[in-house]
Amino acid sequence: MSLAIGVDIGGTKIAGALVRDGEILQRARVETPAEDVGAIVEAVTTVIQDLQGKAGGEDVVGAGIACAGLVDAAGETILFAPNLAWRDEPLKAKVAAQVDLPIRLENDANAAAWGEFRHGAARDHDDMTLITVGTGIGGGIVNDGTLLRGAAGVGAEIGHMRVVRDGLRCGCGNRGCWEQYGSGSALVREARDLIRSGTPHAARLSGACGGDPDALEGADVTKVAEEGDPAAAELIHELGVWIGEGAASLAAILDPAAIVIGGGVSAAGDLLLEPARRAFHRNLTGRGYRPWPEMVMASLGNDAGVIGAASIMLDERPTS
């Protein structure tokens, strides 16, 4: 079977992998020079060339590059990236000029969705929706075996579905976006507010951050909840409800066979998934008279992006 390289550009690291049929054979990684466009290109090139050298003489069909930002429909230009120094950046051409390989750009959530669809939790389905719950909410949609990108390539920005009229201001400029209520950032915000309230109910959360609410992280909330703290468990439960309700709205439009929950907050496992499932079932249109979509945790973890990017390169390469 053919080999491809997958690269996942994040705000702090650029991870790469040599992939065959969803299996990672070799890895490479460098830090992300987030403020320097030219340095990012050089870093991505270094990762690709390193992995080419690890291919043992086998042909590599190309490199798929996943990045957190809006990618045009042609898979050539990063239109905008919120956490990296990219505005209308022709990354494909710049990388292709330095490596002798076909290059394909893809949004990171789309790449992760394709990875889970082809080789992960949704591999037995033709229709699936990935919801990544991290700092914000990202997502990817596969419909009838095809990745949904939209007319301009910037579809599936599900975290910016408005769920509260005149709600909290979002980084996108609008108010009431789903990710302001159903993300890791929302979980941390609510936990910090609980600590600042001075309630004894937040004693264990306060202890987890040494009494400094600003030092509290999402992983701290999960850890305290797993240890049996009712306040932390309640916060994760509420987050799960927001995720489940939003997922029900998506299902009313998309009718997926599987909804896959990924991202850093998914580490909370059933503490998050069970309330999400219950809220989803309570709010699904036509409940009781239609098949229930499966709601499961993602299975590829942090490798979903590189596996998905490599798989897109393999699956969408020209056949002649």
Side-chain angles (χ1 to χ4, degrees), residues 9-279:
I9 304 174
T12 60
K13 70 177 186 301
I14 298 171
L18 190 65
V19 179
R20 190 200 314 272
D21 194 30
E23 179 183 359
I24 292 178
L25 306 180
Q26 299 285 347
R27 296 180 184 271
R29 173 176 167 168
V30 298
E31 293 184 359
T32 303
E35 301 303 320
D36 187 331
V37 173
I40 293 174
V41 173
E42 293 300 324
V44 171
T45 299
T46 296
V47 168
I48 292 173
Q49 291 173 337
D50 183 9
L51 290 165
Q52 281 183 286
K54 293 177 178 178
E58 288 190 64
D59 287 337
V60 177
V61 302
I65 302 174
C67 45
L70 304 182
V71 178
D72 73 334
E76 297 179 349
T77 302
I78 300 172
L79 304 174
F80 170 79
N83 299 313
L84 295 169
W86 286 327
R87 304 294 183 271
D88 291 317
E89 177 64 20
L91 185 64
K92 174 181 175 178
K94 289 185 176 181
V95 174
Q98 299 193 50
V99 299
D100 186 24
L101 283 176
I103 302 295
R104 167 80 205 197
L105 298 189
E106 189 57 75
N107 170 266
D108 60 346
N110 282 353
W114 193 254
E116 292 290 346
F117 167 68
R118 291 284 281 113
H119 303 288
R123 59 187 175 273
D124 295 328
H125 301 288
D126 290 332
D127 296 84
M128 62 84 72
T129 298
L130 173 70
I131 301 171
T132 58
V133 185
T135 303
I137 292 180
I141 297 164
V142 176
N143 178 253
D144 196 21
T146 300
L147 188 63
L148 188 152
R149 296 187 175 96
V154 299
E157 290 292 327
I158 62 175
H160 299 289
M161 175 176 65
R162 292 184 68 203
V163 296
V164 178
R165 185 175 184 272
D166 295 329
L168 295 170
R169 179 74 70 182
C170 181
C172 74
N174 289 330
R175 289 186 179 274
C177 292
W178 187 21
E179 70 174 38
Q180 291 303 306
Y181 303 90
S183 66
S185 295
L187 174 68
V188 171
R189 181 190 67 231
E190 293 299 312
R192 289 174 176 175
D193 285 350
L194 190 65
I195 294 170
R196 292 189 183 103
S197 74
T199 174
H201 196 47
R204 291 181 67 179
L205 283 167
S206 181
C209 60
D212 178 8
D214 291 335
L216 189 75
E217 301 292 342
D220 299 323
V221 182
T222 298
K223 183 175 184 294
V224 173
E226 289 173 338
E227 291 170 352
D229 179 60
E234 181 179 318
L235 289 167
I236 292 176
H237 180 279
E238 183 64 18
L239 178 65
V241 170
W242 276 110
I243 292 169
E245 290 180 352
S249 294
L250 289 175
I253 301 167
L254 300 169
D255 188 26
I259 296 172
V260 179
I261 310 296
V265 179
S266 66
D270 285 343
L271 286 171
L272 180 75
L273 189 60
E274 288 309 312
R277 281 174 172 156
R278 289 195 292 271

